[in-house]
Each structure stands twice: as C-alpha cells, then as structure tokens.
Amino acid sequence: MKTPQWIGVIDVNLALLGIHLRDLTLEVGPSLDVLAVPFCADTWRQREHGLAPAVHLGAMLSSSESRLGARGTVHTAYMPGIAWSGISISAAVEGVYRF
C-alpha cells in the first residue's frame, strides 16, 4: 500500500499590516510559501521543492454589539518551477466568535 505524499503549499509565512476601521478590519501583506509539487505524474515520487512569493488579503467584519463576526481571506502565490510554473489561489470564508 502506498502512503500519500504531501503535494502543494506546505507552509505560509506572512507579514501582515492590519487596518482597523470601526467594524471592519482589513489586512494585507506579502508571504513566502514553501511548496512541494509533483515533478512526474507517473510515479508521484519526484517532487520539486521551493519557495513561492505570494500576497495575502483579508477582511473581518464584526459588530461592537455582538460577539459574532465574519472573516474572508484570499491568498495568491506564484509557484515557479523547472517542469511548470503557475499561480495558486486559495480563498476562505469563516465565522468568528470573539471571547
């Protein structure tokens, strides 16, 4: 039985700047992602490792009257490679509960 190998972005290293505007918090910053992508589709054993420059954008909406809020983020990375290069885009929408 084969064990699955890690494919894709392994680690995200962010440096964020946040701006708080009343009930809205915006965040933006650069990132340097660590990646591992398959080099050969037949065996999946050869992988290319490297660093990918990226940018991170996020927003959180919260009310001063409620502990509930919502948060959305978009993370875009350019993955340079020997076999291929491409762009990775990930997005997330979350519910937030503040203590």
Side-chain angles (χ1 to χ4, degrees):
M1 181 174 168
K2 286 187 171 181
T3 58
Q5 304 267 339
W6 183 264
I7 299 170
V9 176
I10 297 172
D11 191 21
V12 175
N13 302 290
L14 295 171
L16 292 178
L17 172 65
I19 301 169
H20 184 70
L21 307 166
R22 225 170 182 192
D23 294 340
L24 181 66
T25 302
L26 301 174
E27 60 187 32
V28 62
S31 178
L32 192 58
D33 299 353
V34 179
L35 61 96
V37 292
F39 194 76
C40 179
D42 294 338
T43 63
W44 288 64
R45 294 192 184 272
Q46 297 171 329
R47 292 184 297 160
E48 185 174 349
H49 296 84
L51 299 174
V55 65
H56 180 88
L57 303 169
M60 185 170 79
L61 182 62
S62 59
S63 171
S64 57
E65 300 169 3
S66 173
R67 292 180 178 256
L68 297 176
R71 175 180 160 88
T73 59
V74 176
H75 189 85
T76 304
Y78 173 70
M79 297 186 179
I82 297 169
W84 62 271
S85 297
I87 295 176
S88 168
I89 300 172
S90 61
V93 177
E94 307 164 341
V96 177
Y97 180 80
R98 295 181 296 151
F99 291 95

